């Protein structure tokens, strides 16, 4: 236990030291949020992957694989498709970012269509990012609770510890600290959970052949139902227009790096997801029952503690804790950017760079606490993440892509698309109670597309500058 605590403390000190060292580079708004648009390719590739690799993609996916087998990979396959498409226009995001000084999706929408659509997009994105930050905090607190269980540390206390640490180091160096911590800790996580654990778990089971014969036949065949389709569709839309990945494209040093960074990160994501899925399937054989009150989403730390050397257990918890916290700071920083720059520029257009930076550091504390409140209400990591992503997917994904790629889209079309998608998603889930078992993002995004096209067709005379 002392080995685990020692490694964890080393990581926390290391993260703070990295942030302190990089603090002087983040003394402008562009430096704080985009690392002065000079992020090198290797760091870009790793931070794309590390932002995705978090609570849902590790704890949530291993628990899902424990229950249904290889079918748990379907949402990741949707992610792979989304990132493959995203890489085709990541270079354009970088180019228009530099040319027009655009730094976010609401900034792009505002540049083309005005204040009202930009403000609406900002509000929805901020809410989504705060919810996602809270979801990641849930995972972190569960790991902290596991680590400190012998000392009777409560869930709430562990959650508060996580939030305080993240708020402190995120406020110091902004995107510089986020990206470089992602890169360093992402390498550690890939080595431990991406390579060592699946290899050792398969060996512990008795080899791949033994594993295949020890689980139900369905575990190694794709079984698609409405819930899996819903997860996959939400993932597809969210990662196609996900704010964290647009931010990384905006931060790339050139358009070629933006494209290669997204594709390289995509390949890492697929390999990592396969590893986590394999660990979950091995867990079905090695650990068929969990103690009462313990979720199967805790498969990886529980199995590692039971079957492997204490050093590997300590490395697993520390490296996973590192990447989860890196994911938290990524989403928290983006939520703060949305409020402190996108919303602030609409409410107060003449706000100075210095005031924006000061406001950003204040808002890290405020939004971090809001995410903490969300986390205290969340019960399931994967379901909580999908909930926060669903409304974004329904409301923002189609309009964001139209703002980037469509010359014919008008201001009215954008507004109709966002409002129609959001209202449909709310009705679909809250009033109709998810008909046919299909996620609200499916209905919402379909209506969003129809409303956007109809609104644009009826207002062809509206002038909208197309950014190239």
């Amino acid at each position: 236990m002392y080995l685990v605590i020692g490694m964890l403390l080393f990581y926390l000190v290391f993260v703070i030291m990295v942030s302190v060292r990089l603090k002087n580079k983040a003394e402008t708004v562009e430096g704080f949020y985009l690392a002065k648009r000079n992020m090198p390719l290797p760091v870009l590739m790793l931070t794309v992957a590390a932002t995705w690799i978090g609570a849902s993609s590790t704890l949530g996916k291993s628990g899902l694989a424990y229950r249904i087998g290889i079918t748990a990979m379907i949402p990741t396959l949707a992610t792979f498709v989304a990132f493959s498409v995203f890489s085709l226009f990541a270079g354009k995001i970088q180019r228009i970012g530099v040319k027009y000084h655009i730094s976010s999706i609401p900034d792009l929408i505002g540049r083309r269509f005005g204040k009202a659509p930009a403000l609406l997009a900002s509000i929805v994105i901020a809410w989504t990012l705060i919810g996602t930050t809270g979801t990641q905090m849930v995972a972190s607190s569960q790991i902290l609770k596991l680590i400190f269980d012998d000392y009777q540390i409560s869930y709430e206390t562990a959650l508060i510890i996580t939030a305080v640490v993240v708020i402190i180091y995120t406020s110091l160096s902004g995107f510089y600290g986020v990206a470089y911590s992602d890169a360093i800790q992402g390498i550690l996580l890939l080595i431990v959970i991406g390579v060592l654990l699946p290899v050792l778990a398969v060996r512990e089971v008795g080899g791949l052949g033994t594993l295949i014969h020890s689980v139900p036949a369905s575990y190694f065949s794709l079984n698609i139902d409405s819930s899996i389709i819903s997860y996959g569709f939400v993932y597809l839309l969210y990662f196609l227009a996900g704010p964290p990945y647009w931010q990384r494209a905006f931060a790339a040093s050139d358009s070629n790096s933006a494209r290669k960074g997204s594709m390289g990160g995509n390949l890492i994501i697929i390999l990592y997801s396969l590893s986590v899925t394999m660990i979950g399937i091995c867990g079905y054989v090695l650990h068929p029952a969990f103690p009462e009150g313990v979720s199967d989403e805790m498969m990886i730390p529980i199995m590692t503690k039971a079957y492997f050397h204490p050093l590997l257990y300590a490395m697993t918890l520390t490296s996973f804790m590192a990447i989860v916290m890196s994911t938290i700071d990524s989403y928290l920083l983006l939520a703060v950017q949305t409020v402190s720059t996108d919303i602030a520029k609409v409410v107060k257009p003449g706000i100075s760079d210095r005031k924006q930076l000061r406001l950003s550091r204040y808002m890290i504390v405020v939004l971090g606490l809001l995410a903490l409140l969300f986390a205290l209400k969340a019960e399931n990591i994967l379901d909580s993440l999908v909930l926060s992503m669903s409304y974004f997917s329904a409301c923002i994904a189609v309009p964001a892509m139209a703002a980037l790629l469509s010359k014919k889209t008008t201001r009215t079309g954008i507004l109709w698309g966002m409002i129609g998608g959001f209202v449909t998603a709310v009705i679909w889930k809250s009033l109709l109670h998810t008909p046919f078992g299909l996620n609200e993002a499916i209905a919402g995004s379909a209506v969003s597309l129809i409303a956007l096209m109809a609104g644009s067709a009826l207002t062809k005379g509206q002038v909208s500058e197309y950014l190239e």
Side-chain angles (χ1 to χ4, degrees):
M1 181 58 66
Y2 291 109
L3 182 61
V4 173
I5 294 174
M7 283 194 174
L8 180 62
L9 289 175
F10 174 81
Y11 162 68
L12 296 178
V13 172
F14 173 77
V15 166
I16 293 173
M17 288 177 62
V18 169
S19 296
V20 170
R21 186 173 181 83
L22 294 169
K23 184 177 183 296
N24 291 336
K25 293 187 175 183
E27 292 302 324
T28 65
V29 171
E30 190 171 82
F32 194 78
Y33 290 119
L34 296 178
K36 298 180 180 178
R37 301 186 190 270
N38 195 32
M39 189 61 59
L41 176 59
V43 176
L44 189 65
M45 183 171 61
L46 286 165
T47 190
V48 166
T51 300
W52 183 89
I53 297 172
S56 175
S57 57
T58 305
L59 293 180
K61 186 172 292 295
S62 65
L64 191 62
Y66 179 86
R67 298 190 297 273
I68 65 175
I70 200 71
T71 302
M73 279 292 296
I74 289 178
T76 308
L77 295 178
T79 304
F80 179 81
V81 172
F83 271 128
S84 296
V85 176
F86 178 79
S87 67
L88 298 177
F89 56 80
K92 179 174 181 177
I93 294 174
Q94 191 277 338
R95 289 193 301 273
I96 66 170
V98 172
K99 183 176 180 180
Y100 299 98
H101 304 287
I102 293 172
S103 59
S104 66
I105 291 174
D107 206 6
L108 169 64
I109 291 175
R111 182 70 168 74
R112 287 198 63 187
F113 306 110
K115 292 182 179 181
L119 183 59
L120 179 57
S122 297
I123 292 170
V124 173
I125 290 174
W127 180 81
T128 301
L129 292 170
I130 292 169
T132 307
T133 304
T135 302
Q136 301 299 331
M137 285 184 180
V138 173
S140 299
S141 65
Q142 289 181 5
I143 294 174
L144 280 174
K145 186 175 182 296
L146 179 68
I147 294 171
F148 294 115
D149 188 56
D150 292 342
Y151 302 100
Q152 302 299 310
I153 300 295
S154 68
Y155 168 85
E156 291 81 7
T157 301
L159 195 57
I160 291 170
I161 292 171
T162 302
V164 169
V165 172
V166 169
I167 288 169
I168 290 173
Y169 75 76
T170 303
S171 65
L172 290 174
S173 60
F175 190 61
Y176 277 107
V178 169
Y180 281 92
S181 293
D182 278 356
I184 296 169
Q185 301 306 324
I187 291 171
L188 176 62
L189 185 71
L190 288 172
I191 291 172
V192 176
I193 296 180
V195 177
L196 291 179
L197 278 184
V199 170
L200 293 175
V202 170
R203 190 177 71 176
E204 188 72 24
V205 169
L208 186 58
T210 301
L211 177 64
I212 293 173
H213 289 94
S214 300
V215 299
S218 62
Y219 270 53
F220 283 95
S221 61
L222 293 177
N223 299 292
I224 301 175
D225 60 19
S226 60
S227 65
I228 291 295
I229 292 174
S230 294
Y231 279 143
F233 196 86
V234 174
Y235 272 51
L236 175 63
L237 286 174
Y238 182 78
F239 291 111
L240 191 61
Y245 310 104
W246 283 56
Q247 181 190 39
R248 279 143 182 79
F250 282 127
S253 57
D254 56 68
S255 61
N256 193 42
S257 293
R259 179 178 57 82
K260 290 183 177 179
S262 61
M263 276 306 300
N266 197 12
L267 294 176
I268 293 173
I269 286 168
I270 282 292
L271 293 175
Y272 182 85
S273 187
L274 281 170
S275 297
V276 171
T277 301
M278 186 60 66
I279 293 170
I281 295 173
C282 289
Y284 177 86
V285 178
L286 295 175
H287 211 87
F290 283 87
E292 185 177 352
V294 178
S295 170
D296 55 22
E297 291 184 338
M298 297 306 293
M299 161 57 62
I300 291 178
I302 289 175
M303 186 177 70
T304 306
K305 184 177 183 179
Y307 289 95
F308 303 123
H309 193 278
L311 178 61
L312 183 59
Y313 175 65
M315 292 172 62
T316 299
L317 289 187
T318 304
S319 60
F320 183 72
M321 186 65 192
I323 205 65
V324 168
M325 292 180 71
S326 290
T327 305
I328 291 173
D329 61 31
S330 294
Y331 283 98
L332 178 58
L333 185 67
L334 272 165
V336 170
Q337 179 185 6
T338 304
V339 173
S340 301
T341 62
D342 295 324
I343 294 178
K345 283 192 294 187
V346 173
V347 175
K348 191 175 181 180
I351 187 171
S352 68
D353 194 80
R354 183 179 177 181
K355 288 183 178 180
Q356 279 189 0
L357 189 60
R358 188 187 305 121
L359 177 62
S360 296
R361 290 195 160 103
Y362 290 150
M363 290 306 299
I364 285 174
V365 177
V366 174
L367 296 189
L369 294 177
L370 286 176
L372 177 62
L373 291 176
F374 175 92
L376 290 171
K377 300 295 183 180
E379 297 178 356
N380 179 279
I381 294 171
L382 190 60
D383 288 346
S384 298
L385 180 62
V386 171
L387 175 63
S388 61
M389 291 166 58
S390 294
Y391 288 105
F392 170 87
S393 300
C395 179
I396 301 298
V398 171
M401 298 301 298
L404 180 69
L405 302 175
S406 173
K407 295 181 179 180
K408 297 181 179 180
T409 300
T410 67
R411 181 178 184 274
T412 298
I414 284 288
L415 282 170
W416 285 16
M418 287 192 286
I419 295 171
F422 184 79
V423 171
T424 301
V426 171
I427 293 173
W428 191 264
K429 183 174 181 63
S430 300
L431 298 181
L432 301 180
H433 305 294
T434 318
F436 315 112
L438 295 180
N439 187 276
E440 57 273 12
I442 298 176
S445 60
V447 171
S448 177
L449 177 61
I450 294 170
L452 185 148
M453 293 174 65
S456 297
L458 292 172
T459 56
K460 291 181 179 179
Q462 289 182 357
V463 177
S464 172
E465 178 187 7
Y466 180 65
L467 307 183
E468 297 185 86

